[in-house]
PDB file of all heavy atoms in Angstrom:
ATOM      1  N   MET A  57      -1.351   8.636 -37.853  1.00 95.00           N
ATOM      2  CA  MET A  57      -0.210   7.731 -37.712  1.00 95.00           C
ATOM      3  C   MET A  57       1.096   8.521 -37.798  1.00 95.00           C
ATOM      4  O   MET A  57       2.012   8.308 -36.996  1.00 95.00           O
ATOM      5  CB  MET A  57      -0.247   6.648 -38.787  1.00 95.00           C
ATOM      6  CG  MET A  57       0.932   5.705 -38.753  1.00 95.00           C
ATOM      7  SD  MET A  57       1.021   4.697 -37.272  1.00 95.00           S
ATOM      8  CE  MET A  57      -0.118   3.406 -37.711  1.00 95.00           C
ATOM      9  N   GLU A  58       1.185   9.425 -38.744  1.00 95.00           N
ATOM     10  CA  GLU A  58       2.402  10.223 -38.894  1.00 95.00           C
ATOM     11  C   GLU A  58       2.678  11.029 -37.635  1.00 95.00           C
ATOM     12  O   GLU A  58       3.817  11.051 -37.138  1.00 95.00           O
ATOM     13  CB  GLU A  58       2.268  11.152 -40.097  1.00 95.00           C
ATOM     14  CG  GLU A  58       3.511  11.983 -40.352  1.00 95.00           C
ATOM     15  CD  GLU A  58       3.378  12.854 -41.593  1.00 95.00           C
ATOM     16  OE1 GLU A  58       2.599  12.518 -42.498  1.00 95.00           O
ATOM     17  OE2 GLU A  58       4.079  13.872 -41.630  1.00 95.00           O
ATOM     18  N   ARG A  59       1.659  11.675 -37.082  1.00 95.00           N
ATOM     19  CA  ARG A  59       1.864  12.477 -35.875  1.00 95.00           C
ATOM     20  C   ARG A  59       2.215  11.595 -34.677  1.00 95.00           C
ATOM     21  O   ARG A  59       3.023  11.984 -33.826  1.00 95.00           O
ATOM     22  CB  ARG A  59       0.642  13.352 -35.610  1.00 95.00           C
ATOM     23  CG  ARG A  59       0.513  14.476 -36.637  1.00 95.00           C
ATOM     24  CD  ARG A  59      -0.427  15.568 -36.210  1.00 95.00           C
ATOM     25  NE  ARG A  59      -1.786  15.149 -35.970  1.00 95.00           N
ATOM     26  CZ  ARG A  59      -2.801  15.278 -36.843  1.00 95.00           C
ATOM     27  NH1 ARG A  59      -2.579  15.809 -38.029  1.00 95.00           N
ATOM     28  NH2 ARG A  59      -4.007  14.885 -36.530  1.00 95.00           N
ATOM     29  N   ALA A  60       1.625  10.406 -34.602  1.00 93.00           N
ATOM     30  CA  ALA A  60       1.949   9.487 -33.504  1.00 93.00           C
ATOM     31  C   ALA A  60       3.404   9.035 -33.594  1.00 93.00           C
ATOM     32  O   ALA A  60       4.103   8.960 -32.575  1.00 93.00           O
ATOM     33  CB  ALA A  60       1.008   8.284 -33.521  1.00 93.00           C
ATOM     34  N   VAL A  61       3.868   8.739 -34.800  1.00 93.00           N
ATOM     35  CA  VAL A  61       5.264   8.330 -34.977  1.00 93.00           C
ATOM     36  C   VAL A  61       6.199   9.462 -34.560  1.00 93.00           C
ATOM     37  O   VAL A  61       7.217   9.230 -33.896  1.00 93.00           O
ATOM     38  CB  VAL A  61       5.531   7.879 -36.428  1.00 93.00           C
ATOM     39  CG1 VAL A  61       7.018   7.718 -36.699  1.00 93.00           C
ATOM     40  CG2 VAL A  61       4.786   6.585 -36.717  1.00 93.00           C
ATOM     41  N   VAL A  62       5.856  10.689 -34.903  1.00 93.00           N
ATOM     42  CA  VAL A  62       6.673  11.837 -34.495  1.00 93.00           C
ATOM     43  C   VAL A  62       6.715  11.925 -32.967  1.00 93.00           C
ATOM     44  O   VAL A  62       7.787  12.156 -32.387  1.00 93.00           O
ATOM     45  CB  VAL A  62       6.140  13.142 -35.121  1.00 93.00           C
ATOM     46  CG1 VAL A  62       6.788  14.369 -34.492  1.00 93.00           C
ATOM     47  CG2 VAL A  62       6.364  13.131 -36.632  1.00 93.00           C
ATOM     48  N   ARG A  63       5.573  11.711 -32.286  1.00 91.00           N
ATOM     49  CA  ARG A  63       5.554  11.734 -30.817  1.00 91.00           C
ATOM     50  C   ARG A  63       6.450  10.638 -30.247  1.00 91.00           C
ATOM     51  O   ARG A  63       7.181  10.863 -29.275  1.00 91.00           O
ATOM     52  CB  ARG A  63       4.126  11.584 -30.288  1.00 91.00           C
ATOM     53  CG  ARG A  63       3.257  12.815 -30.506  1.00 91.00           C
ATOM     54  CD  ARG A  63       1.980  12.780 -29.692  1.00 91.00           C
ATOM     55  NE  ARG A  63       1.178  11.580 -29.857  1.00 91.00           N
ATOM     56  CZ  ARG A  63       0.281  11.364 -30.824  1.00 91.00           C
ATOM     57  NH1 ARG A  63       0.069  12.291 -31.747  1.00 91.00           N
ATOM     58  NH2 ARG A  63      -0.419  10.250 -30.865  1.00 91.00           N
ATOM     59  N   VAL A  64       6.405   9.464 -30.842  1.00 91.00           N
ATOM     60  CA  VAL A  64       7.255   8.358 -30.385  1.00 91.00           C
ATOM     61  C   VAL A  64       8.725   8.737 -30.546  1.00 91.00           C
ATOM     62  O   VAL A  64       9.532   8.556 -29.624  1.00 91.00           O
ATOM     63  CB  VAL A  64       6.939   7.056 -31.151  1.00 91.00           C
ATOM     64  CG1 VAL A  64       7.990   5.994 -30.871  1.00 91.00           C
ATOM     65  CG2 VAL A  64       5.550   6.547 -30.808  1.00 91.00           C
ATOM     66  N   LEU A  65       9.085   9.251 -31.703  1.00 91.00           N
ATOM     67  CA  LEU A  65      10.482   9.611 -31.954  1.00 91.00           C
ATOM     68  C   LEU A  65      10.958  10.717 -31.019  1.00 91.00           C
ATOM     69  O   LEU A  65      12.090  10.676 -30.533  1.00 91.00           O
ATOM     70  CB  LEU A  65      10.679  10.005 -33.417  1.00 91.00           C
ATOM     71  CG  LEU A  65      10.478   8.869 -34.422  1.00 91.00           C
ATOM     72  CD1 LEU A  65      10.562   9.401 -35.847  1.00 91.00           C
ATOM     73  CD2 LEU A  65      11.459   7.742 -34.182  1.00 91.00           C
ATOM     74  N   HIS A  66      10.100  11.681 -30.730  1.00 89.00           N
ATOM     75  CA  HIS A  66      10.457  12.741 -29.774  1.00 89.00           C
ATOM     76  C   HIS A  66      10.651  12.141 -28.387  1.00 89.00           C
ATOM     77  O   HIS A  66      11.578  12.548 -27.659  1.00 89.00           O
ATOM     78  CB  HIS A  66       9.397  13.838 -29.740  1.00 89.00           C
ATOM     79  CG  HIS A  66       9.485  14.778 -30.884  1.00 89.00           C
ATOM     80  ND1 HIS A  66      10.194  15.958 -30.841  1.00 89.00           N
ATOM     81  CD2 HIS A  66       8.945  14.713 -32.116  1.00 89.00           C
ATOM     82  CE1 HIS A  66      10.089  16.577 -32.004  1.00 89.00           C
ATOM     83  NE2 HIS A  66       9.337  15.834 -32.795  1.00 89.00           N
ATOM     84  N   THR A  67       9.801  11.210 -28.015  1.00 87.00           N
ATOM     85  CA  THR A  67       9.920  10.565 -26.702  1.00 87.00           C
ATOM     86  C   THR A  67      11.235   9.800 -26.626  1.00 87.00           C
ATOM     87  O   THR A  67      11.974   9.909 -25.638  1.00 87.00           O
ATOM     88  CB  THR A  67       8.739   9.609 -26.460  1.00 87.00           C
ATOM     89  OG1 THR A  67       7.528  10.365 -26.502  1.00 87.00           O
ATOM     90  CG2 THR A  67       8.864   8.910 -25.126  1.00 87.00           C
ATOM     91  N   LEU A  68      11.551   9.032 -27.650  1.00 83.00           N
ATOM     92  CA  LEU A  68      12.808   8.285 -27.664  1.00 83.00           C
ATOM     93  C   LEU A  68      14.005   9.225 -27.631  1.00 83.00           C
ATOM     94  O   LEU A  68      14.998   8.966 -26.955  1.00 83.00           O
ATOM     95  CB  LEU A  68      12.889   7.369 -28.874  1.00 83.00           C
ATOM     96  CG  LEU A  68      11.927   6.195 -28.885  1.00 83.00           C
ATOM     97  CD1 LEU A  68      12.027   5.450 -30.189  1.00 83.00           C
ATOM     98  CD2 LEU A  68      12.185   5.278 -27.700  1.00 83.00           C
ATOM     99  N   GLY A  69      13.905  10.322 -28.367  1.00 82.00           N
ATOM    100  CA  GLY A  69      14.995  11.297 -28.391  1.00 82.00           C
ATOM    101  C   GLY A  69      15.271  11.905 -27.033  1.00 82.00           C
ATOM    102  O   GLY A  69      16.410  12.269 -26.727  1.00 82.00           O
ATOM    103  N   ALA A  70      14.262  11.983 -26.187  1.00 73.00           N
ATOM    104  CA  ALA A  70      14.441  12.532 -24.852  1.00 73.00           C
ATOM    105  C   ALA A  70      15.261  11.611 -23.966  1.00 73.00           C
ATOM    106  O   ALA A  70      15.868  12.040 -22.993  1.00 73.00           O
ATOM    107  CB  ALA A  70      13.084  12.785 -24.207  1.00 73.00           C
TER     108      ALA A  70
END
Side-chain angles (χ1 to χ4, degrees):
M57 177 65 82
E58 182 177 335
R59 290 196 300 261
V61 169
V62 168
R63 288 194 307 275
V64 169
L65 294 174
H66 282 267
T67 300
L68 292 175

